[in-house]
Amino acid sequence: MKLDVDVLRYLSKDDFRVLTAVELGMRNHEIVPTELIDRIARLKHGGTYKVLKNLLKNKLLHHDSSKYDGFRLTYLGYDFLAIKTMVNKGVFVAVGRQIGVGKESDIFEVAREDGTVLAMKLHRLGRVSFRAVKSKRDYLRHRSSYNWLYLSRLAALKEFAFMKALETHGFPVPNAVEHNRHCVVMSLVQGYPLVQVKQLQNPETVFETIIGLIVQLAERGLIHCDFNEFNIMIDDDEKITMIDFPQMVSVSHRNAQMYFDRDVECVFKFFRKRFNLSFEETLDDIDGSDEGRDEAGKPCFSAIERSAGFLDRELAASGFTRKDEEDIQRFIEGGAESDTNSDSEEVDLVEDLNEAGTVDGDSSDLLEQNEGYESQGKEESCEARESSGSEKQDASDNEENNEEAMENEAELVKSLNKQRRRAVAAARKGRKTVAARNSYKDKGGRSSHNSKIQKQLSSW
Ligand code: ADP
Ligand code: MG
């Protein structure tokens, strides 16, 4: 995944306005009708169509005309929205090199104004999983193609909430700085994933520390669920930092015992193979007894007492709701059938739109127009379901789709120009266009906000 942030510099306020309009439209459309984008964005004189062309050229949008003429965000488009928000908030001023490609994320270095380097994780839930589950009809049937937006956003929210809570409780995790959409910014861990380490000064101590962390997490009510050599960072002083939290579960999860044992087993296996550790002696050293261990020296889930606070409950009150957790677990465990965004998400999006200086005015009006299209969108999806074999492309395939989109570009440009001419003609005639019916007004406060961002971005 290439993140060409240079493009960001050349994007105008109108570009972001239209990009945000597509994001809002994706609240209830997998493909947002072009006309709806125009109505939400409310650019003068058919400006939306010109901007759409530009966004498409830069692969921030994907065009789809299979059912009706419309667009959706690509990962890159979503990345840019999150990055711009972060820049606006002053979280960082520059994006640097990519430092990690996880299963379902891309990690980049970002720099603060004072030069401090942080890590930015862009979640890509659904990236790898989609092809694997493509054959599962149930999954597809209930799945909206724009789920990746929602799920990636949830993953980021969960990761941020867990990282913060773990840090508060003294666990060695990165410092959680900020999150927005599918993006989490955290401190940069100095060190390497354990998987890259061939030798340790004190393998026993490191091993004890890691097993100790699994036990302490469980005592606080949590299981990491992906506690392996890829998600354990170690520095030159052999200090451990754990990362990667979107899949963590409570010890009251129905499969808690299995997840716990799996985490323990992963660590045992890795240390046995890589560092030739024999565990019976090592574990005896931890506390001088084998209490709470099985005959192989592994900690037993059933013997763990929840002693020190209940992080799982604390987290439930952190803004990461039970429904969020259910949705994300359903996906991680293999059957994402979640509804897309909740009401609160809709409010967030409208706030984002206003905050970005893109659309001012009455959000309910905005939602109302969106509603008008919702039923149409639903009909479309029923139709798509019935017409077997014509499975719609998924959003997570957007790289491919973009290529396809580029092929269709000539046709699209023609169509956009036509729509644009129509809008311009309508405006000239003084006829009320669809957009003009909206009651919210552009208050014109756009320039100062935009120039600030441009200034920040141009310093990249
Ligand atoms: P995924 O959920 O996709 O596995 P991770 O959070 O495990 O993503 O990150 C993938 C890789 O990126 C890690 O193995 C690590 O090398 C690097 N990485 C992640 N977070 C940080 C960080 N805060 N500091 C330094 N490197 C990091
Ligand atoms: Mg990982």
Side-chain angles (χ1 to χ4, degrees), residues 33-44:
T34 310
E35 195 196 329
L36 177 61
I37 301 169
D38 187 37
R39 281 167 58 184
I40 300 174
R42 294 195 68 236
L43 295 186
K44 287 189 184 127

Side-chain angles (χ1 to χ4, degrees), residues 420-435:
R420 180 160 183 252
R421 277 198 301 277
R422 236 187 271 147
V424 171
R428 286 218 180 101
K429 270 193 228 153
R431 184 155 48 91
K432 269 193 163 188
T433 60
V434 185

Side-chain angles (χ1 to χ4, degrees), residues 150-218:
Y150 173 61
L151 288 166
S152 300
R153 187 176 163 120
L154 269 192
L157 177 65
K158 179 171 178 182
E159 178 141 81
F160 186 82
F162 276 61
M163 213 186 312
K164 264 247 169 307
L166 290 169
E167 188 188 6
T168 307
H169 285 259
F171 283 93
V173 296
N175 168 242
V177 176
E178 188 63 86
H179 72 99
N180 179 265
R181 296 179 172 84
H182 61 322
C183 170
V184 177
V185 176
M186 63 188 112
S187 61
L188 186 74
V189 179
Q190 302 298 335
Y192 340 83
L194 194 56
V195 66
Q196 291 175 9
V197 177
K198 301 283 177 254
Q199 266 189 331
L200 288 172
Q201 296 281 328
N202 303 297
E204 288 88 0
T205 317
V206 174
F207 172 75
E208 285 163 16
T209 308
I210 294 172
I211 291 294
L213 281 173
I214 299 180
V215 173
Q216 286 158 37
L217 276 174

Side-chain angles (χ1 to χ4, degrees), residues 102-103 105 121 226 228 230-231 243-244 247:
K103 280 196 305 288
S105 73
K121 178 166 176 179
D226 202 8
N228 56 39
F230 296 92
N231 293 327
I243 58 167
D244 201 359
Q247 68 293 318

Side-chain angles (χ1 to χ4, degrees), residues 10-162:
Y10 307 111
L11 292 182
S12 68
K13 175 185 185 319
D14 284 354
D15 288 324
F16 274 107
R17 186 176 168 116
V18 172
L19 208 54
T20 314
V22 177
E23 182 185 32
L24 180 59
M26 285 178 77
R27 156 71 179 84
N28 43 21
H29 299 272
E30 54 180 288
I31 303 292
V32 190
T34 310
E35 195 196 329
L36 177 61
I37 301 169
D38 187 37
R39 281 167 58 184
I40 300 174
R42 294 195 68 236
L43 295 186
K44 287 189 184 127
H45 309 306
T48 304
Y49 302 98
K50 200 169 132 200
V51 171
L52 284 171
K53 256 193 301 181
N54 187 39
L55 296 174
L56 191 68
K57 193 180 93 201
N58 287 301
K59 304 194 172 191
L60 304 182
L61 293 180
H62 166 70
H63 177 239
D64 187 312
S65 56
S66 55
K67 296 279 168 193
Y68 52 86
D69 198 62
F71 294 82
R72 64 164 168 73
L73 286 175
T74 60
Y75 274 136
L76 195 62
Y78 202 43
D79 292 349
F80 275 26
L81 285 169
I83 289 172
K84 180 152 185 279
T85 306
M86 291 287 189
V87 170
N88 288 356
K89 285 184 175 172
V91 179
F92 56 77
V93 294
V95 179
R97 68 191 175 103
Q98 182 158 9
I99 51 172
V101 186
K103 280 196 305 288
E104 297 191 308
S105 73
D106 289 306
I107 290 111
F108 294 85
E109 282 182 350
V110 292
R112 277 193 185 284
E113 200 150 25
D114 65 4
T116 318
V117 179
L118 302 169
M120 168 177 75
K121 178 166 176 179
L122 296 165
H123 285 267
R124 314 252 186 245
L125 235 66
R127 175 165 68 185
V128 279
S129 323
F130 180 67
R131 283 188 190 286
V133 296
K134 209 167 182 177
S135 56
K136 287 189 192 164
R137 289 214 55 86
D138 267 0
Y139 177 85
L140 253 189
R141 197 173 297 152
H142 297 283
R143 186 173 196 264
S144 310
S145 294
Y146 45 102
N147 256 354
W148 63 269
L149 271 189
Y150 173 61
L151 288 166
S152 300
R153 187 176 163 120
L154 269 192
L157 177 65
K158 179 171 178 182
E159 178 141 81
F160 186 82
F162 276 61

